């Protein structure tokens, strides 16, 4: 064979062979013959692709819920006990929370302390709307943390609750109602956080620090979250007895008409009858 013819044969063979890396076959593998040990569906068909089964974790106990960290030495409870409640988590007008709950639900002391004020009379009238009377029946507790807690719109106050009585957290102080300016609404608890003041400063006891952060914690979070730092900081900033700035005045009353004075009675001058003495006559 000529050299040219040999070169052409080699070139043709090289072009017809599949490309690839030297020593690595690029041809598809030939089918493997089935053996008796190979699983089949009906004994004749080849099995389809198989996949690894999902890993199932072994059964175990429920996760352990770790207690929240203790952030103060005080322990608190939610101020309404044994009832379903809802409340706003934002300020509407005043720094307080309206805790909606059924009539008769228990209002309890949120922390250990002393009863500060008790009002068992519902003095509020829509005609006057006096600020001091808007919470209706209420009880305030001065906690061991130095914070004053108010529960208002109460239906009743427990007979044993009096000013100066020591109470523990969870002690029932009264029952939820809608006295005061809540008489046209559903029953609820007016809950407020402030600091102790003389009785005349009613606008302070009705709320100075937003309470919902602490309500959330006491309900299902951290029972040791205390409003004490926030109360002390605000008191230092505004003073112990700041003036009223929101919803201060009641309704102005029309002046009462003055009674018409009675006309003065004119007295007639007295009649003076002159007194005369007749001379005695001599006898005959």
């Amino acid at each position: 064979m000529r050299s040219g013819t040999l070169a052409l044969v080699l070139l043709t063979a090289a072009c017809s062979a599949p490309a690839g890396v030297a020593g690595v076959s690029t041809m598809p593998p030939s089918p493997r013959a089935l053996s008796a040990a190979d699983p089949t569906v009906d004994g004749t068909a080849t099995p389809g692709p198989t996949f690894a089964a999902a890993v199932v974790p072994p059964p175990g106990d429920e996760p352990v819920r770790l207690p929240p960290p203790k952030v103060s030495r005080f322990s608190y409870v939610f101020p309404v006990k044994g009832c379903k409640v809802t409340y706003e988590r934002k300020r509407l007008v005043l720094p307080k929370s309206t805790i909606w709950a059924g009539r008769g639900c228990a209002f309890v002391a949120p922390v250990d302390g002393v009863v500060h004020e008790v009002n068992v009379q519902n003095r509020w009238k829509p005609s006057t709307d006096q600020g001091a009377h808007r919470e209706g029946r209420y009880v305030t507790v001065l906690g061991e943390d130095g914070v004053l807690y108010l529960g208002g719109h109460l239906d009743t106050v427990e007979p044993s609750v009096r000013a100066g009585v020591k109470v523990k957290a969870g002690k029932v102080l009264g029952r939820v109602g809608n006295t005061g300016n809540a008489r046209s609404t559903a029953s609820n608890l007016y809950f407020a956080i402030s600091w102790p003041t003389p009785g005349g400063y009613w606008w302070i006891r009705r709320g100075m620090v937003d309470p919902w952060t602490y309500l959330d914690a006491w309900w299902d979070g951290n029972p040791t979250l205390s409003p004490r730092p926030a109360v002390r900081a605000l008191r230092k900033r505004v003073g112990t007895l700041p003036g009223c700035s929101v919803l201060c005045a009641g309704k102005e009353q029309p002046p009462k008409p003055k009674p018409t004075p009675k006309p003065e009675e004119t007295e007639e001058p007295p009649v003076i009858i002159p007194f005369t003495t007749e001379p005695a006559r001599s006898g005959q």
Side-chain angles (χ1 to χ4, degrees), residues 37-100:
D38 290 330
T40 61
V41 176
D42 56 2
T44 59
T46 58
T50 59
F51 302 94
V55 178
V56 179
D61 297 333
E62 292 294 327
V64 177
R65 186 175 182 182
L66 297 177
K70 188 175 181 180
V71 295
S72 77
R73 62 185 179 89
F74 307 104
S75 183
Y76 300 86
V77 299
F78 196 84
V80 177
K81 184 178 181 180
C83 290
K84 182 180 180 180
V85 302
T86 58
Y87 55 91
E88 292 287 344
R89 290 171 172 81
K90 61 181 179 180
R91 182 181 298 194
L92 299 177
V93 180
L94 297 171
K96 53 88 178 179
S97 278
T98 299
I99 304 177
W100 302 99

Side-chain angles (χ1 to χ4, degrees), residues 1 3-17:
M1 182 181 295
S3 60
T5 303
L6 180 59
L8 179 60
V9 172
L10 295 175
L11 180 61
T12 302
C15 292
S16 62

Side-chain angles (χ1 to χ4, degrees), residues 157-162 173:
V157 176
E158 292 297 297
S160 62
V161 175
R162 303 181 304 275
L173 305 176

Side-chain angles (χ1 to χ4, degrees), residues 7-280:
L8 179 60
V9 172
L10 295 175
L11 180 61
T12 302
C15 292
S16 62
V21 180
V24 179
S25 174
T26 59
M27 298 299 291
S30 60
R32 180 176 63 85
L34 293 176
S35 66
D38 290 330
T40 61
V41 176
D42 56 2
T44 59
T46 58
T50 59
F51 302 94
V55 178
V56 179
D61 297 333
E62 292 294 327
V64 177
R65 186 175 182 182
L66 297 177
K70 188 175 181 180
V71 295
S72 77
R73 62 185 179 89
F74 307 104
S75 183
Y76 300 86
V77 299
F78 196 84
V80 177
K81 184 178 181 180
C83 290
K84 182 180 180 180
V85 302
T86 58
Y87 55 91
E88 292 287 344
R89 290 171 172 81
K90 61 181 179 180
R91 182 181 298 194
L92 299 177
V93 180
L94 297 171
K96 53 88 178 179
S97 278
T98 299
I99 304 177
W100 302 99
R103 180 182 298 276
C105 290
F107 163 54
V108 301
V111 68
D112 295 353
V114 177
V115 176
H116 188 64
E117 288 180 283
V118 177
N119 177 41
V120 297
Q121 296 183 356
N122 185 21
R123 299 187 180 97
W124 184 81
K125 297 179 181 179
S127 59
T128 56
D129 190 28
Q130 294 296 316
H133 303 156
R134 287 175 184 147
E135 281 68 62
R137 298 185 183 95
Y138 65 84
V139 176
T140 63
V141 173
L142 177 57
E144 290 184 348
D145 55 0
V147 177
L148 188 74
Y149 301 91
L150 165 70
H153 298 328
L154 298 178
D155 185 51
T156 60
V157 176
E158 292 297 297
S160 62
V161 175
R162 303 181 304 275
V165 172
K166 291 184 178 181
V167 293
K168 290 290 186 180
K171 164 69 177 177
V172 178
L173 305 176
R175 300 289 171 174
V176 173
N178 63 340
T179 57
N181 66 348
R183 74 176 191 177
S184 60
T185 71
S187 56
N188 65 87
L189 178 73
Y190 184 112
F191 184 73
I193 296 175
S194 62
W195 53 82
T197 62
Y201 294 85
W202 51 266
W203 57 89
I204 297 176
R205 73 161 183 255
R206 71 180 180 180
M208 297 296 291
V209 172
D210 296 326
W212 47 84
T213 298
Y214 309 100
L215 292 175
D216 287 345
W218 304 341
W219 178 262
D220 188 24
N222 194 328
T224 63
L225 183 63
S226 176
R228 175 183 171 92
V231 169
R232 296 184 70 181
L234 181 62
R235 181 176 179 177
K236 183 177 180 180
R237 181 165 60 88
V238 302
T240 302
L241 301 175
C244 183
S245 60
V246 180
L247 297 179
C248 302
K251 293 181 180 179
E252 294 184 3
Q253 300 299 307
K256 294 181 179 180
K258 295 181 179 181
T260 303
K262 294 181 179 180
E264 295 181 0
E265 296 180 358
T266 56
E267 296 182 357
E268 296 181 357
V271 178
I272 300 175
I273 300 176
F275 179 77
T276 58
T277 302
E278 294 181 357

